[in-house]
Amino acid sequence: MTSDQQPVHPSDPADADSAVAASNGPRGRRPRVAIIFGGRSSEHAVSCATAAGVMRAIDREKYDIVPIGVSRDGQWVLVADDPARFDLTAGRTPEVVPDRSHVVLPLSTRETALTVLEAGQPPRELGDVDVVLPLLHGPFGEDGTLQGFLELSDIRYVGSGVFASAAGMDKHYMKVVFAGHGLPVGPYTVITDRAWRADRAAALDACSALGFPVFVKPARAGSSMGISKVDDPAQLESAIEAAREHDPKVIVEAGITGREIECAVLEGHGTDGPRTSHVGEVAVHDNHAFYDFEAKYLAEADVDLTCPADVPAHVSDEVRRLAAAAFDSLGCEGLARVDCFYTEDGRVLINEINTMPGFTPHSMYPRMWAASGLSYTELIDELVSLALERRTGLR
Ligand SMILES: Nc1ncnc2c1ncn2[C@@H]1O[C@H](COP(=O)(O)OP(=O)(O)O)[C@@H](O)[C@H]1O
Ligand SMILES: [Mg+2]
């Protein structure tokens, strides 16, 4: 358990608003940052590893932290401020283990104090929290649900708001928004649950019309879960069923032949536009059919990350331009990683945006910023500062 459990201070929301913007944080003390991690998605362990990295790197002179783990079944627990417990190593998958207590946020705009509840015990006040760092990937964390909850509680948080988080999680609607802003995306078709149940043959025909190979994906998953590359029409139906295990809505995309070039985007301060990093290239060794779950998390040695990527200047400029435009098209805030394809015939297409990209010290997003002159610790500081500057609600 953390040692910084303090009694609640009576708070005046109006005072808190103006004071929070001050560099010292509200009430003349260091800002308190609740780090929320783990969660219900398949990316639980990766999120734990991210939290370990952030707990180690965050500037303790500047911020106090309150680590809150979310177990796989969705229970919020106060955990020890002990990064080593959450490292992801070859032999160990870290996990938030639920206990008899749980942490609750105030569903009130008049206070920001967290409380620990345990059956048969008096409530334990954890004191006010000034900002939440939601280090969660995938559904129930990166998809706007947690962001909505924090809005209801009137607690500031790092990263995108409700809409951008939800649209960024949904590979269908993110493409609709990108295309609506004139940004280049590849050909695709969407199979809703109803369409699949109503007329499977028509859905399969629409997929085949894209030509093979196709990539079959759950619309709202992540970490390559449920994704398959289909070369043979006979495999299409089972690939769609496999994707439907993760999400009743499935997107099927034409396979793009090209290199995977990514760019890290960081919101600007004040009226400045988004900042973009040097672009990076992800190259997966031949033993993986594509950048799959295993290559991402279990076999890091099978993936090469190069930043800056070895591409012509006009290509990196184009990726950066598209990355900033993609960020703005969804109304993203804080951070996002935009992943593009650089095709053999020289085009750049957007594959996807991630509003809470992998964020361990070894992940692409922090590495691209490190290669661009912003260290992991500075990056965390930037993100928390941006979140402290911003009110909740419409903005
Ligand atoms: N349309 C496509 N054409 C070629 N490769 C693709 C396509 N879509 C996905 N991939 C490959 O699959 C990987 C995972 O797909 P992606 O859409 O990025 O899902 P996730 O959200 O799980 O990262 C990509 O990094 C890429 O290697
Ligand atoms: Mg991806």
Side-chain angles (χ1 to χ4, degrees):
M1 295 287 143
T2 55
S3 55
D4 45 11
Q5 294 157 9
Q6 299 167 357
V8 172
H9 309 280
S11 65
D12 175 337
D15 281 350
D17 263 342
S18 51
V20 129
S23 58
N24 248 345
R27 292 167 284 271
R29 56 161 170 74
R30 280 193 285 250
R32 295 184 90 212
V33 183
I35 298 181
I36 303 186
F37 65 96
R40 291 163 61 184
S41 84
S42 53
E43 293 159 283
H44 183 97
V46 183
S47 170
C48 291
T50 292
V54 170
M55 280 191 235
R56 279 200 185 88
I58 194 167
D59 186 346
R60 302 280 184 149
E61 300 278 297
K62 231 169 151 175
Y63 303 110
D64 284 334
I65 70 160
V66 183
I68 297 171
V70 182
S71 67
R72 288 186 189 276
D73 62 357
Q75 188 176 334
W76 290 35
V77 289
L78 184 65
V79 300
D81 186 358
D82 176 11
R85 275 188 46 189
F86 297 105
D87 283 328
L88 177 60
T89 56
R92 201 179 60 122
T93 310
E95 182 158 346
V96 175
V97 183
D99 59 20
R100 288 160 50 87
S101 68
H102 64 277
V103 176
V104 290
L105 290 182
L107 272 173
S108 154
T109 58
R110 301 196 61 82
E111 52 168 325
T112 60
L114 300 179
T115 310
V116 181
L117 299 179
E118 188 170 340
Q121 305 282 329
R124 195 151 47 93
E125 304 286 9
L126 288 182
D128 293 303
V129 155
D130 302 305
V131 61
V132 164
L133 183 43
L135 296 174
L136 295 155
H137 308 295
F140 311 111
E142 188 181 352
D143 63 346
T145 50
L146 176 62
Q147 290 72 15
F149 188 36
L150 294 169
E151 291 287 349
L152 292 177
S153 293
D154 200 23
I155 297 180
R156 293 163 200 245
Y157 51 93
V158 169
S160 285
V162 175
F163 173 78
S165 299
M169 190 80 245
D170 187 315
K171 293 184 196 303
H172 166 207
Y173 282 111
M174 95 171 65
K175 282 188 165 60
V176 169
V177 174
F178 292 158
H181 281 78
L183 304 176
V185 295
Y188 68 95
T189 186
V190 171
I191 310 173
T192 62
D193 182 45
R194 182 154 56 90
W196 185 241
R197 288 185 293 117
D199 192 347
R200 190 175 285 215
L204 290 169
D205 284 348
C207 299
S208 298
L210 295 167
F212 287 87
V214 289
F215 279 77
V216 179
K217 312 176 180 181
R220 298 154 293 191
S223 285
S224 302
M225 299 302 293
I227 297 187
S228 31
K229 179 182 181 190
V230 177
D231 297 289
D232 174 359
Q235 309 289 321
L236 193 53
E237 194 163 351
S238 62
I240 293 168
E241 291 291 9
R244 282 170 52 83
E245 298 278 313
H246 297 266
D247 189 337
K249 184 166 76 167
V250 172
I251 183 166
V252 179
E253 301 175 5
I256 308 291
T257 311
R259 293 162 65 184
E260 293 189 58
I261 311 291
E262 312 191 337
C263 182
V265 186
L266 186 59
E267 184 185 351
H269 288 281
T271 54
D272 292 348
R275 295 166 271 178
T276 54
S277 71
H278 286 312
V279 304
E281 176 163 19
V282 186
V284 184
H285 295 191
D286 293 347
N287 51 336
H288 299 272
F290 58 95
Y291 193 17
D292 57 10
F293 182 80
E294 225 185 68
K296 274 180 184 161
Y297 300 116
L298 305 177
E300 266 184 52
D302 289 349
V303 185
D304 291 322
L305 310 174
T306 312
C307 186
D310 184 14
V311 291
H314 74 270
V315 173
S316 56
D317 289 349
E318 177 66 353
V319 171
R320 292 173 79 162
R321 183 186 74 78
L322 290 176
F327 187 91
D328 279 342
S329 73
L330 289 182
C332 290
E333 293 168 286
L335 74 167
R337 196 191 71 224
V338 177
D339 301 345
C340 296
F341 293 116
Y342 171 38
T343 67
E344 282 176 333
D345 57 359
R347 289 173 305 143
V348 178
L349 302 176
I350 302 177
N351 174 33
E352 62 161 346
I353 192 165
N354 294 282
T355 54
M356 187 46 74
F359 202 85
T360 74
H362 316 289
S363 301
M364 250 342 240
Y365 185 88
R367 283 178 62 176
M368 286 192 280
W369 276 120
S372 310
L374 197 62
S375 75
Y376 191 49
T377 297
E378 289 166 335
L379 182 59
I380 295 165
D381 188 26
E382 270 291 317
L383 289 169
V384 174
S385 307
L386 285 164
L388 283 168
E389 281 169 19
R390 185 171 66 219
R391 288 163 181 268
T392 52
L394 302 177
R395 49 192 176 250

